[in-house]
Amino acid sequence: MPDRISVLLVDDHNLVRRGFRRILEDEPDIIVAGEAGSGSEAIKLAEDLHPKVIVMDCAMPGMNGLEATRQILGKQPQALVLMLSMHPEETLVRQALEAGARGYVLKNAVDLELGSAIRRVVNGETVLDSQLKRPVVLKGKRHAGLTPRELEVLQMIVDGKSNKEIASALDVSANTIAVHRANMMDTLGIHKAAELVVYAIRNGLVDLP
């Protein structure tokens, strides 16, 4: 099946990883590409295997899942990380999302939600366990000096609208929107248009489409 979602499982407990694998083996559209027992091993395997999704344990001895996520995404920004944890504290959820994770799922519900959570992450959603509250402080917290109009334009860019479509919606010229886009990239230190969307989503500047 060429469209199967490749997954790297990361957890320092072998029995837990085995349980995750058994859950995912029942999913016809998902394949486990590899397993890692530590953050450092996860970094190496992610680079070797290029999995679509990395299911990452948050708390591990040595390098924890947060730091491993940061390092993996620093080298492979296209990777999708789904964080798993025993802890529902909002601080950890916020730290995971700020590290670049696309979701945070509690282990006590993982048997029911893991396959679904992986698919939703692949489809572009930010997945939070139903037992958690979305950390509202993320929205706009790291605006990095963007103006309200720039944030409005940024939302439309993330929604997939062209400069012409945004200009029409805001009743300005397409050149004005191009200037807004250039100013945002300059303010954020971003050099590629695609990186602007990734930054906006990872830093909670926009609502996901």
Side-chain angles (χ1 to χ4, degrees):
M1 295 180 64
D3 295 327
R4 293 174 81 182
I5 302 167
S6 59
V7 173
L8 171 62
L9 297 176
V10 184
D11 197 288
D12 59 309
H13 296 288
N14 182 54
L15 288 177
V16 174
R17 294 200 311 273
R18 189 181 304 170
F20 292 163
R21 177 181 282 275
R22 287 178 177 172
I23 292 169
L24 295 179
E25 283 175 347
D26 291 332
E27 305 287 349
D29 57 337
I30 296 174
I31 183 169
V32 177
E35 299 181 22
S38 66
S40 57
E41 187 180 2
I43 293 170
K44 183 179 185 305
L45 284 180
E47 191 169 355
D48 291 343
L49 300 174
H50 297 282
K52 183 73 172 179
V53 178
I54 301 166
V55 176
M56 179 78 72
D57 184 19
C58 186
M60 292 183 287
M63 182 186 298
N64 63 30
L66 298 173
E67 180 58 29
T69 295
R70 294 187 190 98
Q71 293 198 30
I72 289 170
L73 294 179
K75 297 178 180 179
Q76 301 179 61
Q78 78 283 359
L80 303 171
V81 176
L82 177 63
M83 195 72 70
L84 300 185
S85 177
M86 294 294 294
H87 308 287
E89 288 82 6
E90 182 176 319
T91 299
L92 278 175
V93 180
R94 186 188 310 115
Q95 289 175 345
L97 297 182
E98 289 181 345
R102 298 299 184 88
Y104 192 101
V105 177
L106 296 179
K107 288 186 178 181
N108 61 6
V110 75
D111 58 330
L112 299 177
E113 299 183 4
L114 186 55
S116 173
I118 289 171
R119 294 186 193 92
R120 290 171 61 194
V121 163
V122 170
N123 288 333
E125 296 182 48
T126 296
V127 180
L128 293 181
D129 195 289
S130 58
Q131 300 177 58
L132 301 171
K133 294 182 179 179
R134 177 180 289 272
V136 293
V137 295
L138 279 178
K139 183 68 168 68
K141 180 185 177 186
R142 299 174 65 182
H143 56 79
L146 299 185
T147 67
R149 174 47 66 97
E150 287 171 343
L151 288 170
E152 186 177 13
V153 172
L154 183 58
Q155 178 68 62
M156 293 186 183
I157 292 173
V158 172
D159 290 342
K161 297 184 184 302
S162 66
N163 282 3
K164 185 176 180 180
E165 291 171 325
I166 298 171
S168 177
L170 298 180
D171 196 24
V172 297
S173 71
N175 283 339
T176 297
I177 299 304
V179 170
H180 280 310
R181 187 190 293 257
N183 286 342
M184 284 187 286
M185 292 174 67
D186 184 60
T187 297
L188 299 173
I190 290 172
H191 305 291
K192 295 181 181 179
E195 293 175 359
L196 185 62
V197 174
V198 173
Y199 181 96
I201 293 173
R202 286 186 178 165
N203 291 282
L205 301 184
V206 295
D207 294 318
L208 294 178

